[in-house]
């Protein structure tokens, strides 16, 4: 966690405690079998010992520590004087902002935003889990229009929107990095507005490209890309929510590169695609893959 200096720059906050050693605060998304559970750890940088001092609730709300609000000109913050900006949301409640104050971790609400699109307040959202043929566990978020009933209304046209990821192990690829308690946000970069037109939307199905051991992920890119996409299509067709002849695929940047490859190599899966602002220059791949792509986008 960072602290702002009098000069306006950001440096790592140093946390003062009653114990020996130098401490800093680390935050993480907290991938768990039940979904993402954000947390804050107090880390002794001398010994490496960690202590969890805050964690999101898991029953109804998704909370995330956004910024350190405590101020000290030398960025040396007393542990019992911590103040954090926290966002808190649920499936039906838009994110509100709180200040969490130590030592009792009292939360003071500072915003009260109404639902931004009440017409879609009753949209249906579910985190689904399934496997591809090689046994890698996959997850996705399935959105369905308000009032939709698959047994009565039949399968819908569906848009799958995703972005592949590189992994060095099957276990890392199978982690659940999303929460069932998150609010469904609609913006200009995410296709949830298609729900208002009666579409189903499969958002962010995991497309892991795995390179274990000495193998590089891209050695089997096409094979793993198709296997992941096929598993996602099979799952939504099996559930009866998507018509097999009316499934589109789309993505941005590397997701557009994914879309182009799926339309070229797996045309039996999709009727059309949206490749937005594609990053098609793969010459940087041997030098860091996505890390080195930024200047070319």
């Amino acid at each position: 966690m960072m602290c702002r200096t009098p000069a306006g720059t950001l440096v790592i906050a140093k946390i003062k405690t009653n114990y020996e050693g130098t401490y800093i605060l680390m935050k993480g998304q907290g991938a768990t079998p039940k979904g993402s559970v954000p947390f804050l750890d107090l880390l002794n940088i001398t010994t490496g010992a960690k202590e969890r001092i805050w964690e999101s609730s898991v029953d109804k709300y998704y909370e995330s520590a956004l910024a350190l609000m405590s101020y000290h000109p030398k960025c040396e913050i007393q542990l019992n004087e911590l103040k954090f900006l926290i966002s808190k949301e649920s499936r039906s409640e838009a994110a509100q902002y709180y200040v969490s104050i130590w030592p009792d971790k009292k939360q003071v609400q500072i915003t009260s935003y109404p639902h931004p699109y009440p017409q879609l307040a009753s949209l249906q959202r579910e985190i689904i889990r399934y496997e591809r043929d090689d046994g890698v566990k996959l997850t996705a978020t399935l959105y369905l229009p308000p009032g939709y009933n698959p047994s009565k209304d039949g399968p819908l046209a569906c848009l799958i929107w995703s972005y592949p990821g590189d992994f060095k192990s099957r276990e890392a690829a199978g982690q659940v990095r999303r929460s069932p308690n998150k609010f469904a946000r609609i913006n200009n970069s995410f296709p949830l507005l298609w729900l208002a037109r009666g579409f189903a939307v499969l958002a962010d199905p995991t497309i892991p490209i795995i390179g274990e051991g000495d193998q590089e992920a891209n050695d089997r890119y096409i094979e793993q890309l198709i296997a992941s996409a096929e598993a996602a299509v099979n799952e939504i067709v099996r559930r009866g929510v998507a018509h097999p002849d009316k499934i589109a695929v789309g993505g941005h940047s590397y997701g557009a590169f994914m879309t182009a490859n799926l339309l070229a190599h797996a045309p039996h899966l999709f009727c059309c695609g949206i490749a937005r602002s594609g990053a098609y220059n793969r010459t940087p791949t041997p030098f860091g893959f996505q890390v080195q792509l930024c200047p070319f986008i």
Side-chain angles (χ1 to χ4, degrees):
M1 296 294 290
M2 309 297 283
C3 172
R4 195 169 295 279
T5 69
T9 57
L10 289 171
V11 298
I12 297 174
K14 184 178 180 180
I15 307 303
K16 307 293 287 186
T17 72
N18 295 327
Y19 312 109
E20 293 184 0
T22 302
Y23 293 83
I24 62 174
L25 281 168
M26 307 289 287
K27 70 174 182 176
Q29 291 185 343
T32 76
K34 294 184 178 181
S36 176
V37 182
F39 63 86
L40 287 174
D41 280 352
L42 185 66
L43 172 67
N44 185 323
I45 63 173
T46 304
T47 66
K50 292 186 294 185
E51 176 188 352
R52 186 143 303 176
I53 64 170
W54 177 86
E55 191 172 63
S56 172
S57 63
V58 295
D59 294 332
K60 178 181 178 181
Y61 291 99
Y62 177 84
E63 300 170 289
S64 183
L66 302 180
L68 181 63
M69 301 294 285
S70 307
Y71 175 75
H72 187 278
K74 294 184 179 179
C75 286
E76 297 179 352
I77 312 298
Q78 292 290 335
L79 180 61
N80 62 357
E81 297 177 359
L82 284 178
K83 292 182 181 180
F84 280 96
L85 181 66
I86 303 286
S87 69
K88 186 175 181 178
E89 61 191 276
S90 72
R91 295 169 64 101
S92 59
E93 301 171 57
Q96 306 294 346
Y97 296 91
Y98 297 75
V99 175
S100 186
I101 305 171
W102 264 249
D104 58 1
K105 303 179 186 178
K106 175 184 177 182
Q107 289 191 352
V108 178
Q109 186 171 351
I110 58 175
T111 65
S112 183
Y113 299 126
H115 197 293
Y117 19 85
Q119 301 90 334
L120 291 176
S122 59
L123 64 81
Q124 303 173 60
R125 178 178 182 268
E126 179 186 359
I127 294 177
I128 62 174
R129 296 172 173 84
Y130 51 99
E131 290 186 8
R132 71 185 191 191
D133 287 344
D134 60 0
V136 175
K137 299 183 184 303
L138 307 175
T139 57
T141 305
L142 176 63
Y143 294 90
L144 299 172
Y148 169 71
N149 185 326
S151 61
K152 293 172 56 179
D153 303 324
L156 304 173
C158 180
L159 173 59
I160 296 178
W161 191 269
S162 192
Y163 189 100
D166 294 351
F167 298 92
K168 288 302 292 181
S169 73
R170 300 161 66 92
E171 292 74 18
Q175 287 182 328
V176 181
R177 298 175 180 82
R178 62 193 84 203
S179 169
N181 298 328
K182 277 193 170 183
F183 183 74
R185 293 179 177 84
I186 295 177
N187 55 51
N188 63 353
S189 62
F190 206 60
L192 290 188
L193 277 176
W194 285 99
L195 293 170
R197 301 297 299 271
F199 277 63
V201 176
L202 190 69
D204 295 325
T206 46
I207 309 287
I209 311 298
I210 304 168
E212 296 180 299
D214 295 332
Q215 188 180 56
E216 296 296 333
N218 287 281
D219 293 345
R220 297 171 52 234
Y221 174 80
I222 297 296
E223 173 189 341
Q224 295 191 63
L225 181 69
I226 294 174
S228 298
E230 197 160 39
V233 168
N234 289 343
E235 179 64 17
I236 56 177
V237 171
R238 182 191 69 80
R239 288 171 172 260
V241 299
H243 192 291
D245 297 329
K246 298 179 180 180
I247 300 176
V249 64
H252 174 80
S253 186
Y254 187 32
F257 179 74
M258 169 202 75
T259 298
N261 273 283
L262 285 173
L263 293 180
H265 298 286
H268 61 288
L269 295 177
F270 305 105
C271 63
C272 60
I274 302 171
R276 188 178 68 191
S277 301
Y280 304 111
N281 185 341
R282 311 320 293 176
T283 58
T285 297
F287 308 101
F289 201 44
Q290 287 301 99
V291 176
Q292 296 297 322
L293 275 176
C294 295
F296 295 87
I297 296 175

